Amino acid sequence: MRYADETSPDGTLPDRQHTSRRTFLRSTSVGVTSVALGASVAASAGSPPAQAADTQAAETEATQTQASVPVGRRGTRPLAVTPACSGQETPASIEGPLFKPHSPARNDLITPAIRGVQLDLSGVVYDTACKPLPETLIEFWQCDQNGDYDTSGFSLRGHQYTDSRGAYRLRTIIPRDYWGRWGQRAPHIHTQVQASGGPVLVTQLYFPDDTQAYGRDFAALNAADRLLNRACTIHLTGPENGRYTGTFDFVITTTV
Ligand code: FE
């Protein structure tokens, strides 16, 4: 069953930066966000565990160390340090009609019924001064491998809070494209991001043109999607053992 998505009351794209402020009640079960990624679903036996924030930090540190190697020491030029944050606010998009409040606190959305192409997504939430934002709420919701949203339960829905370094991680699948209110939608993950007391960023994350999943032509799907914003494309590596690793950093405003 397919659900029309992305409707807006007046058929226009609302200014989400200022109109969608939402008060989130922090669940007392936030600690559950430390639910081990990879604890429940061993669908990819032998595949590496989800990339932990520690790993990400270690990689960043390694990159910086490498960047400090003098030119010519190894006969190669040193790598430039990858910019962690541009300060450019992540573009907003529409919420669509299928957001459900009160999602479970979790960062592993894969259940036995979910058999799509696995994705380990991680990143950092920054403010516009590129300061990492701990304790920032992130909601994720998406359709499954068939292009269906769960409107009766909370499959492929969850919220979490960034850790002390502003980092998040999510274990999920690459969603499939579907046909909705706005025509054929390229695969995307819906998100809401909100620092404590700040406005809500509502947006959608997309996948690179060369993504391989479900035999679909992501380049064609991306090109045809009226809502797609290339600035919201996940940086994807893989697949390795049938599983992709993705990164996406958010930059949000913290005051209304
Ligand atoms: Fe959608």
Side-chain angles (χ1 to χ4, degrees):
M1 181 175 180
R2 301 292 170 91
Y3 297 93
D5 192 3
E6 329 307 359
T7 56
S8 61
D10 58 3
T12 61
L13 301 183
D15 181 355
R16 290 290 168 177
Q17 301 296 337
H18 302 290
T19 60
S20 64
R21 179 168 185 174
R22 183 189 308 270
T23 301
F24 287 100
L25 297 178
R26 178 171 179 169
S27 165
T28 55
S29 61
V30 169
V32 177
T33 58
S34 62
V35 166
L37 295 179
S40 62
V41 180
S44 294
S47 60
Q51 182 181 25
D54 288 344
T55 304
Q56 186 180 40
E59 289 176 352
T60 300
E61 187 176 343
T63 300
Q64 291 170 342
T65 301
Q66 193 167 8
S68 67
V69 175
V71 175
R73 180 170 176 175
R74 296 176 185 165
T76 58
R77 295 178 60 84
L79 295 177
V81 175
T82 302
C85 169
S86 67
Q88 192 81 29
E89 190 176 354
T90 302
S93 185
I94 64 169
E95 180 178 271
L98 300 178
F99 169 74
K100 290 179 65 176
H102 312 301
S103 70
R106 59 182 176 180
N107 53 16
D108 188 346
L109 304 184
I110 298 180
T111 61
I114 301 300
R115 302 190 178 281
V117 176
Q118 294 193 15
L119 168 67
D120 292 325
L121 178 65
S122 62
V124 175
V125 180
Y126 297 98
D127 67 12
T128 52
C130 293
K131 174 187 165 191
L133 294 172
E135 301 295 312
T136 297
L137 174 63
I138 311 181
E139 283 269 358
F140 291 104
W141 72 103
Q142 64 174 85
C143 66
D144 65 12
Q145 65 272 18
N146 299 312
D148 296 333
Y149 285 86
D150 181 5
T151 56
S152 59
F154 289 94
S155 180
L156 292 172
R157 299 173 185 270
H159 75 269
Q160 61 179 283
Y161 289 85
T162 56
D163 67 14
S164 60
R165 293 186 300 264
Y168 74 92
R169 52 183 180 166
L170 178 73
R171 192 180 193 201
T172 186
I173 63 163
I174 293 177
R176 186 164 171 151
D177 57 292
Y178 61 86
W179 191 268
R181 166 71 172 76
W182 292 89
Q184 187 157 28
R185 295 303 320 282
H188 59 275
I189 297 176
H190 293 269
T191 69
Q192 294 182 355
V193 188
Q194 182 189 33
S196 178
V200 178
L201 167 70
V202 180
T203 192
Q204 301 179 24
L205 307 183
Y206 299 92
F207 296 87
D209 287 348
D210 60 355
T211 305
Q212 298 173 32
Y214 317 121
R216 307 298 288 162
D217 184 344
F218 277 60
L221 292 168
N222 286 342
D225 192 316
R226 297 163 56 193
L227 299 179
L228 184 140
N229 187 327
R230 296 279 181 180
C232 291
T233 301
I234 294 168
H235 181 264
L236 211 57
T237 57
E240 188 172 339
N241 296 322
R243 184 172 182 168
Y244 277 105
T245 298
T247 58
F248 188 88
D249 294 339
F250 296 94
V251 179
I252 64 172
T253 58
T254 55
T255 55
V256 178

